[in-house]
Amino acid sequence: SADGQRVAFQSDREGDLGIFWQAADGSGTPERLTKADKDTSHIPESWSPKGDGFLFRVTKGDDISLWMFSLRDRKAMPFGAVRSGAPTDAVLSPDGRWVAYTASMTTDQGQRVVYVQPFPATGATYQIPALEAGGYRHPRWSPDGKELFYWIGGTVRMRVVAVTTQPTLAFGNPVPIPKPPFWADSVNDVARRYDITPD
């Protein structure tokens, strides 16, 4: 969570693949937040910077949609009509005003693209510049929200693009950055591949 006090996670402890949360130090009893339908899984993706909710993806077969869970109302609702054939790997910007995510209408690795939408959703959708083949995925915001990192499949090339939000959302030109030496070149859609440290 935003204050570091809670961890949200998927569990099958009650027979479905819903989301629970618990104190980060492991104390207390896990509390259920969502209940997944049969053959459906809920996977938490990104906390709101205010700590009042989180984004999660709902997966049923090859159909994936993006949802928001409100801790205030204890309710889940779809976010921005986002549908994809690949994991969304969504992340809220540091100011909580934008959501970056991966979407694809197929499960083809090369068809994935990173989009940004306002939060709350308004219907506007912005695609980051697609200058290379290989499929774009795993977006991450810089701590100040002025850059968006992502990687391209195949040889796992990393890029960063400048982001401006006034008067409207706009992207600069993608810039190559070195691949970390510990990075495995295999594709893993389950794990969060990397993050950006506060500094």
Side-chain angles (χ1 to χ4, degrees), residues 11 14-16 18-21 30-36 74:
S11 175
E14 294 181 8
D16 66 291
I19 296 173
F20 293 72
W21 74 339
E31 177 187 356
R32 175 186 283 278
L33 298 178
T34 74
K35 182 173 179 61
R74 287 297 202 271

Side-chain angles (χ1 to χ4, degrees), residues 102-122:
T102 304
S104 170
M105 299 316 295
T106 72
T107 55
D108 181 357
Q109 301 286 342
Q111 296 299 316
R112 302 183 189 192
V113 179
V114 173
Y115 296 95
V116 176
Q117 284 196 34
F119 184 83
T122 64

Side-chain angles (χ1 to χ4, degrees), residues 53-73:
F54 57 86
L55 292 165
F56 69 100
R57 70 179 185 251
V58 175
T59 302
K60 185 170 186 177
D62 290 333
D63 183 35
I64 298 172
S65 56
L66 188 58
W67 289 59
M68 182 73 190
F69 184 85
S70 169
L71 288 167
R72 183 185 305 109
D73 304 326

Side-chain angles (χ1 to χ4, degrees), residues 5 11 16 25 28 40 44 61 69 72 84 90 93 96 118 143 146 160 178 187 195:
Q5 299 301 304
S11 175
D16 66 291
D25 64 4
T40 301
F69 184 85
R72 183 185 305 109
S84 177
S93 62
K146 294 181 180 180
V160 61
V187 173
D195 215 330

Side-chain angles (χ1 to χ4, degrees), residues 132-156:
E132 301 168 85
Y136 293 36
R137 62 199 78 154
H138 299 302
R140 295 291 176 265
W141 294 96
S142 62
D144 61 9
K146 294 181 180 180
E147 293 178 311
L148 195 58
F149 294 79
Y150 59 94
W151 67 272
I152 303 169
T155 59
V156 190

